[in-house]
Every structure is written in structure tokens, then in C-alpha cells.
Amino acid sequence: MPYCFRAEHSVAEEFRRIAHEQLERGLDDARENDPHEAVHELRKRMKKVRGLIRLVRPAFSGYARANAWFRDTARIVSDLRDATSLIECLDALAERYGKSIGANAFEITRKRLWQRRERLVADQGLDLRLQQVCRRVEAGQALVDEWRLDREGWEALGGGLEKTYKRARNRLADCRDKPTTENLHEWRKRVKYHRYHLKLLRRSWDPVIMAHRDAAKRLSDLLGDDHDIAVFLQILNDERLLDGAEPGQALRGLLEQRRQELQAQAMPLGKRLFHDGPATVRDRFGAYWAAFETESALHARIPEPARAVS
């Protein structure tokens, strides 16, 4: 089933169903994919589960324990995923700027990043850490069976939507005042959770919410690319992965230029996406949900058409 709530079942039932499906898919990803791809997919599943529990946070007394469990599970392999992200970031930059400064600067740096990742794997053991993550995911499945909510319907969902939206909106204000790497990264995390919430609620009015969700995805991708480049620049400086020769200096200049471009695209999009106040957004989505519940109840009462007897 998709990563979204259905009105035909209680919010609590859907809450547990969605969590179980994400965890089972994470285990399937670990069994079926290359280890580095498995790390990436497992971390995405952990983030989606954390997005789910944030949506029901005010109604979920077990929030702190659940959030810490899946956060710490993802952290087991976070440095390995970050090492792969650097390579992917460089590949994207090579595709964009390779003709500007020549492929050689990218090829040398990519080799060094690859060697850096392999050292991490050799030192810390990718397979062993994947096994540890999978054991924690399996234990997490048992935790999900115990999850209960103390509210139902929109009362269980509206508070989490409003809280996450408000945090994303506040982080936008921080970035307008002071667009530091830390502030931009915090904004990106909040935007990503809001995007998950839009996906979870999309069936209440799919065409409208999915347009909003696509904008949130675009914004989180822009901010994600910006953060990847910021980390990339820091690693290049700290570990001296670039020589001081002209191609290396040119690459640094292009990275800084690309960050400016990404931020210039992100800010206007963020202003549109987070224009309304948090209470307004909660009320609007609450109206969508109420209509969705009414619509689902009506469909449930309509009998199936009789089949002709041959």
C-alpha cells in the first residue's frame, strides 16, 4: 500500500500499517540491493518513519522513544551514506561543469573520494553495520505493534502537520536573516518532514496536495544539493583532496557559484510554499480531511452493483 493515510480505517490502524510497510520494504531493500544502495534505501525508510511519527506526535505518547530508535538506527550507517553522497555530488557537478574546467580535475578528485569511502568500509565493516541496522529494524517492527494514539481522526493529525509546518516556516525566516550552512540545513530538514506529511495526507485531496508536495520536494532537493556542496567543500578543505593547482581553484569557484544559484532558487519557492500561517494551513487541511472522511463514508454505504446471472 502507498505511504499515505486512508479514511476507511482508523488513523491509529493506518499509523501502524504505514510504519510496518516502510520497515518491511527497508529490509527488502537490504536483501536485494548492492550494500551502498541498501544503506541509502534503509536511511530513506527511517526518515519516512520519523516523518510519520512526527505527523501524529501530539497524539502519540511514545513519540520520543520511537523517534530516538529510528534516528539512532539510521546513524549506524550515516557516515558511509555521506561518503557515497560526496561521490554523487561530484558526478553531478562533473556533468554540469566538466566542459568548463576539464574532466581531469573531477577524475582525480573522484578517485580520492572513492578511496576515502573504501577506507571507511574497510575500517568499520559495511556488511556488519548493515546487519546491525537490519536487526534494529526487526526490533522496531515489534515496537510498532505497541504503538497507540490517544486521539483519532483529524485531532490525531492536525497538530503534527501544524507544528512541522511552523518549524519549516521559522527556519525560512532564519535563512532570510542569516543564510548560513547550518541554518539552510535545518530548514531543509523541516521542509523534508513537511513534504512527507503532504504525501501522507495526499488522498484527502490528491490533485491539490500533490502540487504542493511537488513544490516541497523541489525545495528540499535544492536545499539538499546546497548542503551536499557545502559538505563537499568542507571535506575538500579539511582533507586536502584538491591540489592547489588551477583546476582545483576553478572547481572551488564553481562550487561556490552553484551554491549561490541553488539558494537563489530556493528562497522564492520557500516564500510561496510557507506564505500562510500555521493555523491557516491546519484549518485548510482539516477541511480537506473532513470532506475525505465524508466521501469515504458515502462510498462505503453504496452497495456493489448486482452481477447478472448467466
Side-chain angles (χ1 to χ4, degrees), residues 189-260:
K189 288 193 290 186
R190 303 307 166 191
V191 169
K192 200 161 192 177
Y193 283 127
H194 179 58
R195 168 188 153 198
Y196 288 146
H197 291 179
L198 295 170
K199 195 168 184 180
L200 286 162
L201 296 171
R202 69 184 186 271
R203 287 190 64 182
S204 60
W205 199 6
D206 204 303
V208 171
I209 293 179
M210 286 306 286
H212 195 86
R213 180 256 177 187
D214 289 345
K217 182 181 186 305
R218 171 65 176 157
L219 179 56
S220 68
D221 288 347
L222 290 168
L223 294 172
D225 289 347
D226 175 76
H227 183 67
D228 287 345
I229 294 173
V231 172
F232 186 62
L233 279 165
Q234 191 64 51
I235 294 292
L236 292 180
N237 292 331
D238 291 349
E239 302 189 21
R240 299 182 181 180
L241 295 178
L242 275 182
D243 298 323
E246 184 177 341
Q249 295 302 320
L251 179 56
R252 283 192 180 93
L254 287 172
L255 292 173
E256 294 289 0
Q257 174 187 318
R258 182 59 181 153
R259 287 200 70 195
Q260 292 176 12

Side-chain angles (χ1 to χ4, degrees), residues 156-174:
L157 300 168
L161 173 72
E162 181 179 11
K163 187 180 186 75
T164 297
Y165 178 91
K166 181 178 180 180
R167 286 184 168 183
R169 196 169 186 256
N170 289 343
R171 298 295 78 76
L172 165 61
D174 293 342

Side-chain angles (χ1 to χ4, degrees), residues 56-172:
V56 298
R57 181 175 182 172
F60 181 34
S61 61
Y63 168 81
R65 181 190 181 198
N67 183 59
W69 182 267
F70 293 110
R71 178 199 64 208
D72 294 345
T73 299
R75 281 179 177 172
I76 293 170
V77 288
S78 61
D79 57 337
L80 293 173
R81 175 55 201 161
D82 291 344
T84 299
S85 293
L86 290 175
I87 297 170
E88 294 171 350
C89 177
L90 182 67
D91 289 344
L93 291 165
E95 185 175 347
R96 188 178 189 90
Y97 295 120
K99 294 180 181 178
S100 301
I101 61 174
N104 190 49
F106 292 102
E107 290 171 0
I108 294 171
T109 306
R110 193 181 198 282
K111 182 179 179 181
R112 292 174 179 173
L113 289 174
W114 186 273
Q115 291 170 340
R116 178 180 179 274
R117 187 182 73 171
E118 293 309 298
R119 285 195 300 271
L120 280 173
V121 170
D123 291 345
Q124 301 181 32
L126 175 55
D127 290 340
L128 287 175
R129 284 207 275 173
L130 267 178
Q131 291 171 18
Q132 186 180 357
V133 170
C134 289
R135 286 195 295 270
R136 285 183 64 92
V137 170
E138 289 168 349
Q141 290 178 310
L143 292 177
V144 171
D145 291 332
E146 302 172 4
W147 288 358
R148 298 293 183 271
L149 301 180
D150 58 26
R151 299 172 216 170
E152 260 302 329
W154 187 245
E155 288 298 312
L157 300 168
L161 173 72
E162 181 179 11
K163 187 180 186 75
T164 297
Y165 178 91
K166 181 178 180 180
R167 286 184 168 183
R169 196 169 186 256
N170 289 343
R171 298 295 78 76
L172 165 61

